[in-house]
C-alpha cells in the first residue's frame, strides 16, 4: 500500500527535512498545530507504537529527544508535547509510526481533553484488568 511517509523517507515525496540518519528522518508537519511542529519517523515502515520493534523504537525516541531540544530552542517555545496517535479514534491518519513534536507557548490554547472521574471501587477494577494484561505481556517486555 502507498505510504506517504515511506515516500518521504525514500525521497519520492518532498518534505522540509530537518535531520536524518540511517534509521530515522525528521521533517516539518504540513499542517502544524504550531509553527515548527515536527514529525520523527523510522525510515522502515511500521504501522504503530505496538508493532515497531523495541530497538528501532529506541532509535526514534533518542532522535525525538535530540530534535525536540532543537525545535524548542529555535522556536523559543515555553514547552512542547510529544504525541503519538495510535488508531483511528486516537487521531492517527498516517499508519507509519511517528512522534509529533509540538512546540507550545504560554499564550497557547489548552489541549487538555475533558477529564473523567472514577466511581467507587472502579479505579481498582480498571487497574486489575490492566494488570492482568501487564502480566500476560511480561515476556515480551523482558524478551
Ligand atoms: P497522525 O494524524 O498522528 O497520523 O499524524 C499524521 C501527520 O502527518 C498529520 O499531522 C499531517 O498533517 C502530517 N502529514 C501528512 N502528510 C504529510 C506530508 N506529505 N508532509 C508532512 N506532513 C504530513
Ligand atoms: Zn510507511
Amino acid at each position: 500500500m502507498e505510504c506517504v511517509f515511506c515516500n518521504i523517507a525514500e525521497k519520492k515525496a518532498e518534505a522540509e527535512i530537518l535531520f536524518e540518519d540511517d534509521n530515522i528522518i525528521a521533517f516539518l508537519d504540513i499542517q502544524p498545530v504550531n509553527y515548527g511542529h515536527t514529525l520523527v519517523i523510522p525510515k522502515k515502515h511500521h504501522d504503530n507504537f505496538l508493532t515497531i520493534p523495541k530497538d528501532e523504537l529506541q532509535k526514534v525516541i533518542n532522535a525525538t529527544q535530540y530534535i525536540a531540544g532543537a525545535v524548542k530552542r529555535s522556536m523559543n517555545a515555553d514547552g512542547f508535547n510529544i504525541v503519538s496517535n495510535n488508531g483511528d479514534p486516537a487521531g492517527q491518519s498516517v499508519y507509519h509510526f511517528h512522534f509529533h513534536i509540538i512546540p507550545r507557548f504560554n499564550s497557547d490554547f489548552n489541549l487538555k481533553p475533558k477529564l473523567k472521574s472514577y466511581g467507587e471501587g472502579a479505579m481498582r477494577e480498571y487497574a486489575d484488568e490492566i494488570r492482568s494484561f501487564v502480566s500476560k505481556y511480561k515476556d515480551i517486555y523482558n524478551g
Side-chain angles (χ1 to χ4, degrees), residues 4-5 8 14-15 27-31 37 39 85 91-95 98 100:
V4 61
F5 287 179
I8 288 172
E14 277 191 29
F27 52 93
L28 288 182
D29 192 306
I30 37 170
Q31 285 194 303
H37 180 162
L39 302 173
N85 300 321
Q92 187 172 12
S93 59
V94 177
Y95 282 76
H98 52 281
H100 294 253

Side-chain angles (χ1 to χ4, degrees), residues 78-108:
D78 301 306
F80 56 91
N81 292 107
I82 304 293
V83 180
S84 167
N85 300 321
N86 288 270
D88 215 29
Q92 187 172 12
S93 59
V94 177
Y95 282 76
H96 179 131
F97 173 69
H98 52 281
F99 281 122
H100 294 253
I101 302 168
I102 305 171
R104 300 299 304 274
F105 301 89
N106 291 334
S107 56
D108 267 357

